[in-house]
Amino acid sequence: MRAAQVGKLDGPSAIEIVDLPEPVAYPGGVLIDVHAAGIAFPDVLMTRGLYQMKPGLPFVVGGEVAGVVREAPEGSSLRPGDRVAALTMLGNGVAEVAVSPEHAVFALPDNISLEAGAGVLFNDLTVHFCLTQRGRLAEGETVLVHGAAGGVGTSTLRMAKALGAGRVIAVVSTESKAQVAKANGATDVVLAEGWLAAVKELTEGRGVDIVLDPVGGDRFTDSVRSLAGGGRLLVVGFTAGEIPTVKVNRLLLKNVEVVGAAWGEWVMSHPTYLAEQWAEIAPLLASGAIAAPDPVLYPLDKTAEAVAALDNRTATGKVVVRLR
């Protein structure tokens, strides 16, 4: 089979397309003919050895796939030929054949294409976890998302209203990204330059209930300032590179919270959580209450470029590599 392999920790440019033996299903594993594989920011970090989990070299990049079941464990509810989305966990995703543990394989609704399905799990499950489990989103609250034209950002825009938000404000860096945010369901869009003043005006000085921040960097302090009383700032990641700090007196004075939201860590310590999430999200996808992602597609031979698009922050929406 063909696969996108990292042989040295030199960043996305080190990804090479190689021929490898097909994997064999391990006990409890589902063998999948992969049609498309999602790319996420941890993939960028892993190409440099900077992610908290470090697969040994060489490794196949990518951790989420969509395809067709070739082989399932005896007694499984899955059958050969089923269309599925799956997490391959640490790497092994951008390959023509992959194996996933059965608990991380989910039947796709009929209205979700395999290309879109490859863009559902990492981002949508992350956002669901952030808004419901960590953010305690209440009906009608206002959500603001940074990096709103990126993968997590567009997922937030697609999902927040279905999960109860009354208003969703997108923060983007350019006018072209503003169009992406609007197309994905933003109620309001503001540019990063002067965003805090714009948000205060939009909310008539009240502020927002939840900030979902996958960016970090120098926006962090203003994100705290943007919160209404009782608001929550969800720390999802640091695509800007800089890990910010907070003066806790700001939290005290406004009765606000800074909340860590590491979906992967939660999943590892709560074994049934993935199934619980999918049981909530799948019907919303099937009904159209949550729109399917509209991924940016790359061919397998361009996997290095796909990962680099997240590295240099030129990507808009979910990045997906098509294998079939």
Side-chain angles (χ1 to χ4, degrees):
M1 70 174 185
R2 300 176 76 216
Q5 187 178 78
V6 176
K8 52 186 177 179
L9 300 178
D10 288 345
S13 63
I15 296 172
E16 297 179 326
I17 307 305
V18 299
D19 288 313
L20 297 174
E22 289 188 355
V24 176
Y26 45 72
V30 179
L31 195 65
I32 300 168
D33 288 320
V34 178
H35 285 241
I39 302 297
F41 195 70
D43 296 317
V44 175
L45 298 177
M46 283 195 289
T47 65
R48 294 194 174 94
L50 299 178
Y51 196 55
Q52 56 260 42
M53 293 175 280
K54 296 176 172 59
L57 292 172
F59 65 89
V60 173
V61 74
E64 60 181 331
V65 302
V68 176
V69 173
R70 181 192 295 186
E71 181 183 326
E74 186 176 351
S76 172
S77 61
L78 297 167
R79 296 287 183 270
D82 285 352
R83 300 167 66 256
V84 295
L87 298 170
T88 58
M89 303 309 180
L90 194 57
N92 300 310
V94 187
E96 291 176 327
V97 183
V99 182
S100 294
E102 185 180 3
H103 75 270
V105 181
F106 306 100
L108 277 175
D110 291 340
N111 61 324
I112 306 296
S113 71
L114 290 172
E115 289 85 359
V120 166
L121 294 183
F122 266 158
N123 289 344
D124 285 10
L125 297 183
T126 292
V127 170
H128 176 269
F129 168 72
C130 288
L131 293 180
T132 61
Q133 185 73 34
R134 303 298 289 149
R136 309 185 306 278
L137 174 64
E139 193 73 27
E141 288 191 319
T142 296
V143 174
L144 179 146
V145 58
H146 290 292
V152 169
T154 53
S155 179
T156 304
L157 299 176
R158 290 173 34 251
M159 294 180 64
K161 286 190 176 180
L163 297 177
R167 187 178 197 178
V168 191
I169 302 174
V171 180
V172 296
S173 57
T174 66
E175 289 290 353
S176 62
K177 290 183 177 180
Q179 297 306 312
V180 173
K182 290 175 183 176
N184 279 276
T187 308
D188 305 276
V189 182
V190 299
L191 292 177
E193 184 70 29
W195 72 269
L196 179 59
V199 168
K200 288 291 189 181
E201 183 176 350
L202 282 173
T203 61
E204 299 180 340
R206 176 184 179 273
V208 302
D209 300 293
I210 292 176
V211 174
L212 196 150
D213 182 15
V215 177
D218 58 9
R219 298 186 195 180
F220 189 79
T221 297
D222 279 350
S223 291
V224 177
R225 292 177 175 141
S226 75
L227 292 172
R232 290 84 72 200
L233 167 53
L234 306 178
V235 179
V236 185
F238 312 103
T239 59
E242 177 188 347
I243 299 177
T245 58
V246 60
K247 293 183 178 180
V248 295
N249 64 307
R250 298 185 187 278
L251 311 184
L252 175 65
L253 293 173
K254 292 185 65 178
N255 288 301
V256 297
E257 303 170 49
V258 174
V259 183
W263 166 72
E265 293 293 326
W266 190 270
V267 166
M268 286 190 290
S269 59
H270 296 75
T272 64
Y273 188 63
L274 282 176
E276 293 166 9
Q277 286 191 285
W278 192 247
E280 291 186 30
I281 292 173
L284 297 174
L285 288 167
S287 70
I290 296 175
D294 183 16
V296 179
L297 297 174
Y298 288 78
L300 175 60
D301 290 342
K302 301 290 186 182
T303 300
E305 294 179 23
V307 179
L310 272 71
D311 190 26
N312 59 32
R313 299 182 68 183
T314 59
T316 56
K318 178 65 180 182
V319 173
V320 167
V321 173
R322 183 158 48 194
L323 290 101
R324 283 181 167 85

